[in-house]
Amino acid sequence: MPATPAWPPKSAPRLFVEQELSATAAVQVEGNQAHYLAKVMRVSLGDAVILCDDITGEWAAEVVEAGKRHVLLQPKQHLRPREPVPDFWLCPALLKKDRFDLVLEKATELGVARIAPVVTRRCVADKLNADRADTIVTEAAEQCARTALPEIAPVAKLDALLRDWPQERHLFFADEEGGEPAADAFCYAEGPAALLVGPEGGFDDAERTAIRAHPASVAISLGPRILRGETAAIAGTAIWMAEAGDWLDED
Ligand code: SAH
């Protein structure tokens, strides 16, 4: 007797939707999402689509209508609750657009809870296209099968970030002029954490002094070489996830 194929298939497309999901309400997707399902993934009646709402978690839904401009989906099975997200914030100084896009995408894949962009004196960019950032983060979360979206905070000036810093959160400061080895600093510090990374031109002396003077700050080193901001943000986040995040084998 051939085994019945698993439902939903692993190849089922994944989408984040605005609507809170339940088994009692159908979900209508339109616009780009409908185009993706209908034209790219060419779904048809009865096909499975995985839906997430960043609230209840992940559902397997069935295509009940497939039009040119809309697809109607009926959630059938609750697969996973919204994941527990490691309490880590990445605070990257704004970089040139394509490099910052990379930070948004990789931070999402790596599992951060929040991305808090910072403006510093040497930033080339001073604003962020919020809609574009949302799209990048959502698509990255769909690709890596996260059931929770990282929050994207409004862009903050460095002095405001330091002034309003929550005192219980470690503020690890990636300092190319030296600091504690990142892996040591991360694995011995319990509790909520954040990593602050500078722009292409680094922090200026006054900024560095202000950061180091902050009671929550700990300067950390990411090795002997000068990394690009995006490299430091991605590498630093990966080290934190491995040392203190959810990459550990929970016994
Ligand atoms: N001041 C550097 C440029 C900044 S690099 C220069 O002289 O060219 C961009 C940011 O990445 C820095 O502000 C710092 O936050 C981080 N960074 C780069 N290399 C690092 C290292 N080896 N250790 C810790 N942080 C580093």
Side-chain angles (χ1 to χ4, degrees):
M1 180 72 166
T4 47
W7 194 86
K10 286 202 181 315
S11 58
R14 308 178 63 87
L15 288 180
F16 271 88
V17 293
E18 299 288 327
Q19 177 179 327
E20 184 168 339
L21 295 168
S22 78
T24 57
V27 177
Q28 171 138 314
V29 297
E30 292 162 350
N32 292 344
Q33 289 188 322
H35 179 270
Y36 168 68
L37 290 181
K39 298 288 179 218
V40 177
M41 301 305 289
R42 309 181 71 77
V43 299
S44 47
L45 293 188
D47 281 356
V49 174
I50 307 287
L51 298 179
C52 292
D53 57 7
D54 200 19
I55 304 166
T56 63
E58 180 186 79
W59 294 71
E62 189 180 322
V63 177
V64 292
E65 267 178 41
K68 281 200 177 49
R69 300 194 186 295
H70 81 283
V71 175
L72 193 64
L73 300 157
Q74 176 56 55
K76 293 277 187 196
Q77 202 178 328
H78 188 224
L79 302 175
R80 286 189 294 169
R82 185 181 187 277
E83 70 206 34
V85 181
D87 194 357
F88 178 82
W89 298 356
L90 178 60
C91 306
L94 288 177
L95 302 167
K96 287 193 186 85
K97 193 161 69 75
D98 56 340
R99 294 182 187 280
F100 201 77
D101 289 356
L102 188 74
V103 171
L104 290 168
E105 182 178 83
K106 300 315 166 195
T108 301
E109 293 173 57
L110 292 172
V112 306
R114 189 170 195 255
I115 300 167
V118 188
V119 172
T120 68
R121 283 200 196 92
R122 295 179 184 163
C123 278
V124 174
D126 64 356
K127 58 178 75 63
L128 178 69
N129 178 329
D131 289 345
R132 179 181 162 73
D134 276 344
T135 301
I136 290 168
V137 159
T138 302
E139 287 176 358
E142 289 164 349
Q143 175 275 323
C144 70
R146 282 190 71 158
T147 57
L149 290 172
E151 180 197 342
I152 304 176
V155 176
K157 288 191 184 318
L158 179 63
D159 55 357
L161 184 93
L162 295 176
R163 183 195 61 222
D164 301 336
W165 194 259
Q167 61 177 19
E168 82 289 347
R169 187 173 295 273
H170 299 290
L171 174 57
F172 292 111
F173 157 45
D175 189 352
E176 73 278 14
E177 292 187 6
E180 263 186 85
D184 293 350
F186 294 166
C187 81
Y188 294 121
E190 295 288 315
L195 177 66
L196 173 62
V197 179
E200 293 90 345
F203 293 106
D204 69 17
D205 290 346
E207 289 171 337
R208 180 186 304 281
T209 304
I211 297 166
R212 282 178 171 266
H214 193 284
S217 81
V218 174
I220 57 104
S221 167
L222 294 168
R225 289 166 289 278
I226 301 285
L227 309 176
R228 286 186 181 277
E230 62 273 24
T231 312
I234 294 165
T237 301
I239 296 168
W240 189 89
M241 285 296 166
E243 293 290 347
D246 61 4
W247 291 7
L248 301 163
D249 296 334
E250 295 296 333
D251 40 30

